[in-house]
Amino acid sequence: MSMLRRIGNLFTRGKVEREIDAELRAHIEMRTADNMARGMTAEEARRDALLKFGNPVVMKEKVAGMDVALWVENFWRDVRYAARQLKKSPGFAMTAILT
């Protein structure tokens, strides 16, 4: 995910949460369908799918947390790369800083 999209997501958090909800529902429905294909009743299949995925609120928090963690990690990696590049060419670094 690009940095611009991540920054945009800060302002449209509701949309992101709806997308995560929809994705979790889709996974639960697919798991339910697979369970029913194995011979479970609809109720058993749904219960098993919900147990496999755990608490939806916790899953949403994990997904959102991973998104933030990846952003911070990528940002830090970019800062280190920029520092190494500026260190390699001090003339360019001085020109960039003075500009």
Side-chain angles (χ1 to χ4, degrees):
M1 187 182 303
S2 73
M3 186 178 294
L4 292 177
R5 183 168 178 205
R6 288 175 194 270
I7 292 170
N9 287 346
L10 294 174
F11 301 107
T12 59
R13 203 65 185 151
K15 179 183 173 197
V16 172
E17 287 182 11
R18 286 190 301 274
E19 288 176 358
I20 293 171
D21 284 337
E23 187 171 346
L24 287 173
R25 273 194 309 275
H27 283 288
I28 290 171
E29 289 170 7
M30 285 188 288
R31 181 70 181 209
T32 302
D34 288 344
N35 287 341
M36 289 174 67
R38 290 188 192 115
M40 290 184 179
T41 65
E43 187 177 310
E44 290 173 336
R46 176 99 175 133
R47 184 176 186 282
D48 181 67
L50 289 172
L51 288 174
K52 293 287 183 189
F53 279 95
N55 187 341
V57 175
V58 172
M59 288 301 289
K60 243 188 343 185
E61 301 254 337
K62 282 183 182 179
V63 170
M66 282 188 237
D67 185 45
V68 171
L70 287 174
W71 182 80
V72 170
E73 180 182 333
N74 288 339
F75 179 75
W76 183 245
R77 188 179 306 141
D78 290 344
V79 168
R80 289 189 321 221
Y81 177 75
R84 281 195 313 268
Q85 293 305 315
L86 290 175
K87 187 178 176 184
K88 282 183 181 179
S89 53
F92 176 76
M94 282 306 235
T95 303
I97 291 169
L98 292 175
T99 301

